[in-house]
Coordinates of all heavy atoms in Angstrom, one line a residue:
A30 N -23.3 39.5 35.9 CA -24.0 38.3 36.1 C -23.3 37.0 35.5 O -22.5 37.1 34.7 CB -25.4 38.4 35.5
F31 N -23.8 35.8 36.0 CA -23.4 34.6 35.5 C -24.2 34.2 34.3 O -25.4 34.4 34.2 CB -23.5 33.5 36.5 CG -22.5 33.6 37.6 CD1 -22.8 34.1 38.8 CD2 -21.2 33.0 37.4 CE1 -21.9 34.1 39.9 CE2 -20.3 33.1 38.4 CZ -20.6 33.6 39.7
L32 N -23.6 33.7 33.2 CA -24.2 33.2 32.0 C -23.8 31.8 31.8 O -22.9 31.4 31.0 CB -23.9 34.0 30.7 CG -24.4 35.5 30.6 CD1 -23.6 36.4 31.4 CD2 -24.3 35.9 29.1
P33 N -24.3 30.9 32.6 CA -23.8 29.5 32.5 C -24.2 28.8 31.3 O -25.3 29.0 30.7 CB -24.4 28.8 33.8 CG -25.6 29.6 34.0 CD -25.3 31.0 33.6
D34 N -23.4 27.9 30.8 CA -23.8 27.0 29.7 C -24.3 25.7 30.3 O -24.2 25.5 31.6 CB -22.6 26.6 28.8 CG -23.0 26.2 27.4 OD1 -24.2 25.9 27.2 OD2 -22.2 26.2 26.5
T35 N -24.8 24.8 29.5 CA -25.4 23.5 30.0 C -24.4 22.8 30.9 O -23.2 22.6 30.5 CB -25.8 22.6 28.8 OG1 -26.7 23.4 27.9 CG2 -26.5 21.4 29.3
G36 N -24.8 22.4 32.1 CA -24.0 21.6 33.0 C -23.0 22.4 33.9 O -22.4 21.8 34.8
E37 N -23.0 23.7 33.7 CA -22.1 24.5 34.5 C -22.8 25.1 35.8 O -24.0 25.5 35.7 CB -21.5 25.7 33.7 CG -20.6 25.3 32.5 CD -20.2 26.5 31.7 OE1 -20.8 27.5 31.8 OE2 -19.2 26.3 30.9
S38 N -22.1 25.2 36.9 CA -22.7 25.8 38.1 C -22.0 27.1 38.3 O -20.9 27.4 37.8 CB -22.5 24.8 39.3 OG -21.1 24.8 39.7
V39 N -22.7 27.9 39.2 CA -22.1 29.2 39.6 C -20.8 29.0 40.3 O -19.8 29.7 39.9 CB -23.1 29.9 40.5 CG1 -22.5 31.1 41.2 CG2 -24.3 30.4 39.7
N40 N -20.7 28.1 41.2 CA -19.4 27.9 41.9 C -18.3 27.4 40.9 O -17.1 27.9 41.1 CB -19.6 26.8 43.0 CG -19.8 27.5 44.4 OD1 -19.8 28.7 44.5 ND2 -20.1 26.7 45.4
E41 N -18.6 26.6 40.0 CA -17.6 26.1 39.1 C -17.1 27.2 38.2 O -15.9 27.3 38.0 CB -18.2 25.0 38.2 CG -17.2 24.2 37.3 CD -17.1 24.9 35.9 OE1 -18.1 25.4 35.4 OE2 -15.9 25.0 35.4
L42 N -18.0 28.1 37.7 CA -17.6 29.2 36.9 C -16.7 30.2 37.7 O -15.8 30.7 37.2 CB -18.8 29.9 36.4 CG -19.5 29.2 35.1 CD1 -20.9 29.8 34.9 CD2 -18.6 29.3 33.9
A43 N -17.2 30.4 38.9 CA -16.5 31.4 39.8 C -15.0 31.1 40.0 O -14.2 31.9 40.2 CB -17.2 31.6 41.1
S44 N -14.7 29.8 39.9 CA -13.3 29.3 40.2 C -12.5 29.1 38.9 O -11.3 28.8 38.9 CB -13.3 28.0 41.0 OG -13.9 27.0 40.2
R45 N -13.2 29.4 37.7 CA -12.5 29.1 36.4 C -11.4 30.2 36.1 O -10.4 29.9 35.5 CB -13.5 29.1 35.3 CG -13.0 28.6 34.0 CD -14.0 28.4 33.0 NE -14.9 27.3 33.3 CZ -15.9 26.9 32.5 NH1 -16.1 27.4 31.3 NH2 -16.7 25.9 32.9
F46 N -11.6 31.4 36.6 CA -10.7 32.5 36.4 C -10.2 33.0 37.8 O -11.0 33.0 38.8 CB -11.3 33.7 35.6 CG -11.5 33.3 34.2 CD1 -12.6 32.6 33.8 CD2 -10.7 33.8 33.1 CE1 -12.9 32.3 32.4 CE2 -10.9 33.5 31.8 CZ -12.0 32.8 31.5
E47 N -9.0 33.6 37.8 CA -8.5 34.1 39.1 C -9.2 35.5 39.4 O -9.7 36.1 38.4 CB -7.0 34.3 39.0 CG -6.2 33.1 39.0 CD -4.7 33.3 39.0 OE1 -4.3 34.5 39.0 OE2 -4.0 32.3 39.0
G48 N -9.3 35.8 40.6 CA -9.8 37.1 41.0 C -11.0 37.2 41.9 O -11.3 38.2 42.5
S49 N -11.8 36.1 42.0 CA -13.0 36.1 42.8 C -12.6 35.9 44.3 O -11.8 35.0 44.6 CB -14.0 35.0 42.4 OG -15.1 35.0 43.2
V50 N -13.2 36.7 45.2 CA -12.9 36.5 46.6 C -14.0 35.7 47.3 O -14.1 35.6 48.5 CB -12.7 37.9 47.3 CG1 -11.6 38.6 46.6 CG2 -14.0 38.7 47.2
I51 N -15.0 35.2 46.5 CA -16.2 34.7 47.1 C -15.9 33.5 48.0 O -16.5 33.4 49.1 CB -17.2 34.2 46.0 CG1 -18.6 33.9 46.5 CG2 -16.6 33.1 45.2 CD1 -19.3 35.0 47.1
G52 N -14.9 32.7 47.7 CA -14.6 31.6 48.6 C -14.0 32.0 49.9 O -14.0 31.2 50.9
D53 N -13.5 33.2 50.0 CA -12.9 33.7 51.2 C -13.8 34.5 52.1 O -13.4 34.8 53.3 CB -11.7 34.6 50.9 CG -10.6 33.9 50.1 OD1 -10.4 32.7 50.3 OD2 -10.1 34.5 49.2
V54 N -15.0 34.8 51.7 CA -15.8 35.7 52.5 C -17.2 35.1 52.9 O -18.0 35.7 53.6 CB -16.1 37.0 51.6 CG1 -14.9 37.7 51.3 CG2 -17.0 36.7 50.4
L55 N -17.5 33.9 52.4 CA -18.7 33.3 52.7 C -18.8 32.7 54.2 O -17.8 32.2 54.7 CB -19.1 32.2 51.7 CG -19.4 32.6 50.3 CD1 -19.7 31.4 49.5 CD2 -20.5 33.6 50.3
R56 N -20.0 32.8 54.8 CA -20.2 32.3 56.1 C -21.3 31.3 56.0 O -22.5 31.7 55.7 CB -20.6 33.4 57.1 CG -20.8 32.9 58.5 CD -21.0 34.1 59.4 NE -22.2 34.9 59.1 CZ -23.4 34.5 59.6 NH1 -23.6 33.5 60.4 NH2 -24.5 35.3 59.3

C-alpha cells in the first residue's frame, strides 16, 4: 500500500522509484 506524507499524491509517489509499470498499463 501507499503511505503518503502530507502533500504527496499516489501518482507522485509511484514515480519516485523505478520499477512501477502503472504508467504503461492504464486505460
Side-chain angles (χ1 to χ4, degrees):
F31 287 99
L32 290 78
D34 203 346
T35 307
E37 295 176 341
S38 72
V39 165
N40 265 353
E41 186 271 322
L42 283 168
S44 63
R45 188 173 295 186
F46 289 80
E47 294 184 356
S49 177
V50 300
I51 191 66
D53 301 323
V54 301
L55 291 183
R56 182 174 65 86

